């Protein structure tokens, strides 16, 4: 088999495999699901299926942005810390800040400040990676540690609980924790990210940079701007997820978001995006996020130990990466 044909078949397998995986875990969910009081299958109830979408909303939003970062040949380990920073900042601005205005303007100012600062953290990551030529893993690992420390210092390492009265924090929680809104945010961002990646010049630049940075440089592509923008988008997405997280948990907790970056990267990899860069789709990432969500839901319905859940996820990640490497290896002629 010729090399081009082998590569095309490998790409086709990578594109189809996440959907096959989702179908398999859905079937597994139906088989293993406990029965309700009236004998119905709990897993396929409307409430349970929409709960999966709700529970994966935060990971899903961040995974969309992470897909762009990875396709461009990078990685961002700081998203969990940025989520905690954003949730805690929202708590400070909604609970401890008294601007002397109504809840509406206070919530609007909070959302704007959180998104801007999240994007700013991403901009710092991107600028240092592209201009100082620091490895993305090293830089974003440092950012993960530094932002976590900043968040704990900023809050005194204490939770900021939201109120349940007519205060701005209560209104914010009621608004941003609604299931239809969270699912809609995820869906809108998925469509937008797909359009950017599949139908814009910027999307083609990201693939070219991730596939072969040297060749992209020779052709004059704006490598620094393209890569930096992915980190800005990723920081803003983590900030948005932090707002949702704060609303759902009804607090700003500086210790939240630990290891979220692993679930985000796992969703991207399981969805078929190559960690080496250059290949991946938004639809695949959404599918990978759903696979993790369905699997977690099934295991929890069966009351499987959470430590076993982590081990199962680890095995799935290893298998997904191994399959990618096998598909990308040259086929014997």
């Amino acid at each position: 088999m010729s090399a081009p044909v082998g590569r095309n078949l490998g790409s086709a397998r990578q594109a189809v495999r996440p959907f096959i995986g989702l179908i398999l875990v859905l079937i597994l969910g139906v088989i293993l699901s406990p029965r309700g009081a009236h004998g119905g299958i709990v897993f396929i109830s409307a409430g349970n299926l929409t709960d999966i979408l709700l529970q994966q909303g935060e990971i899903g939003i961040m995974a969309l942005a992470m897909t762009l970062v990875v396709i461009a040949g990078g990685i961002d380990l700081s998203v969990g810390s940025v989520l905690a920073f954003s949730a805690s900042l929202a708590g400070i601005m909604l609970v401890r800040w008294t601007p002397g205005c109504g809840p509406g303007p206070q919530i609007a100012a909070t959302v704007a400040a959180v998104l801007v600062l999240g994007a700013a953290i991403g901009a710092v990551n991107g600028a240092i990676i592209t201009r100082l030529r620091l490895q993305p893993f090293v830089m974003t690992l440092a950012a993960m540690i530094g932002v976590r420390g900043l968040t704990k210092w900023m809050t005194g390492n204490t939770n900021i609980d939201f109120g349940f009265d007519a205060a701005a924090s209560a209104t914010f929680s009621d608004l941003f924790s609604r299931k239809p809104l969270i699912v809609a945010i995820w869906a809108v961002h998925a469509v937008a990210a797909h359009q950017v990646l599949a139908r814009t010049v910027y999307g083609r630049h990201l693939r070219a940079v991730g596939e072969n940075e040297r060749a992209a440089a020779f052709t004059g592509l704006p490598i620094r701007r393209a890569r930096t923008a992915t980190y800005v988008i990723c920081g803003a997405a983590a900030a948005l997820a932090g707002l949702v997280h704060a609303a759902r948990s009804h607090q700003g907790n500086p210790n939240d978001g630990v290891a979220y970056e692993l679930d985000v990267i796992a969703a991207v990899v399981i969805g078929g995006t190559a960690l080496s860069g250059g290949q991946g789709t938004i639809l695949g990432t959404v599918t990978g996020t759903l696979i993790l969500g369905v699997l977690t839901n099934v295991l929890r319905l069966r009351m499987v130990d959470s430590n076993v859940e982590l081990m199962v996820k680890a095995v799935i990640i290893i298998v997904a990466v191994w399959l990618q490497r096998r598909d990308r290896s040259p086929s014997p002629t």
Side-chain angles (χ1 to χ4, degrees):
M1 182 183 297
S2 65
V5 174
R7 283 195 296 269
N8 289 337
L9 288 176
S11 298
R13 284 195 295 266
Q14 286 187 30
V16 173
R17 190 176 289 126
F19 302 102
I20 297 175
L22 179 59
I23 292 171
L24 291 177
V25 295
L26 287 171
I27 294 173
L28 182 67
V30 173
I31 294 173
L32 297 180
S33 173
R35 301 282 174 164
H38 301 288
I41 300 175
V42 174
F43 173 75
I44 60 174
S45 65
N48 185 65
L49 293 177
T50 54
D51 279 346
I52 293 174
L53 295 176
L54 175 65
Q55 290 159 7
Q56 289 300 101
E58 297 166 27
I59 298 298
I61 291 168
M62 292 187 287
L64 297 173
M66 185 70 76
T67 304
L68 304 181
V69 173
V70 175
I71 286 176
I75 198 77
D76 191 347
L77 301 179
S78 67
V79 290
S81 294
V82 175
L83 178 145
F85 169 81
S86 302
S88 298
L89 179 60
I92 290 174
M93 294 190 68
L94 291 169
V95 176
R96 297 179 181 176
W97 182 43
T98 53
C101 61
Q106 186 174 359
I107 291 172
T110 298
V111 171
V114 167
L115 293 177
V116 168
L117 288 177
I121 294 172
V124 171
N125 281 338
I128 293 178
I129 288 169
T130 58
R131 296 189 178 276
L132 300 185
R133 308 295 295 174
L134 221 59
Q135 288 292 330
F137 180 91
V138 175
M139 177 58 213
T140 58
L141 177 63
M144 177 182 76
I145 298 169
V147 173
R148 180 72 63 180
L150 171 63
T151 305
K152 291 184 177 183
W153 172 80
M154 183 175 69
T155 60
N157 201 21
T158 59
N159 296 353
I160 303 174
D161 295 322
F162 292 0
F164 288 92
D165 49 19
S169 58
T171 304
F172 169 84
S173 290
D174 178 64
L175 176 63
F176 279 87
S177 62
R178 294 178 182 176
K179 187 185 297 185
L181 178 63
I182 295 173
V183 175
I185 290 173
W186 183 15
V188 168
H189 281 77
V191 172
H194 171 75
Q195 294 296 320
V196 167
L197 192 57
R199 300 181 182 277
T200 67
V201 173
Y202 176 66
R204 292 194 290 273
H205 285 176
L206 291 184
R207 292 189 186 278
V209 171
E211 187 71 31
N212 191 326
E213 182 178 354
R214 180 172 296 181
F218 282 143
T219 58
L221 295 184
I223 295 175
R224 285 182 179 177
R225 289 201 301 272
R227 276 193 168 157
T228 300
T230 63
Y231 287 100
V232 173
I233 294 169
C234 204
L240 178 59
L243 290 170
V244 172
H245 184 84
R248 290 189 61 207
S249 61
H250 223 78
Q251 64 177 0
N253 186 341
N255 297 298
D256 277 349
V258 174
Y260 272 38
E261 60 277 353
L262 302 182
D263 278 347
V264 171
I265 295 170
V268 173
V269 172
I270 293 170
T273 299
L275 284 175
S276 56
Q279 293 186 5
T281 65
I282 294 300
L283 187 56
T285 293
V286 172
T287 306
T289 306
L290 292 176
I291 288 174
L292 285 178
V294 170
L295 185 63
T296 299
N297 181 262
V298 171
L299 294 176
R300 291 178 181 174
L301 286 176
R302 299 299 303 179
M303 297 183 179
V304 174
D305 188 279
S306 60
N307 296 310
V308 176
E309 177 186 322
L310 293 175
M311 289 187 283
V312 170
K313 288 182 180 179
V315 172
I316 291 175
I317 294 169
I318 292 171
V319 171
V321 174
W322 173 73
L323 289 172
Q324 284 185 13
R325 289 179 63 87
R326 189 188 67 172
D327 288 343
R328 290 170 68 90
S329 297
S331 301
T333 55

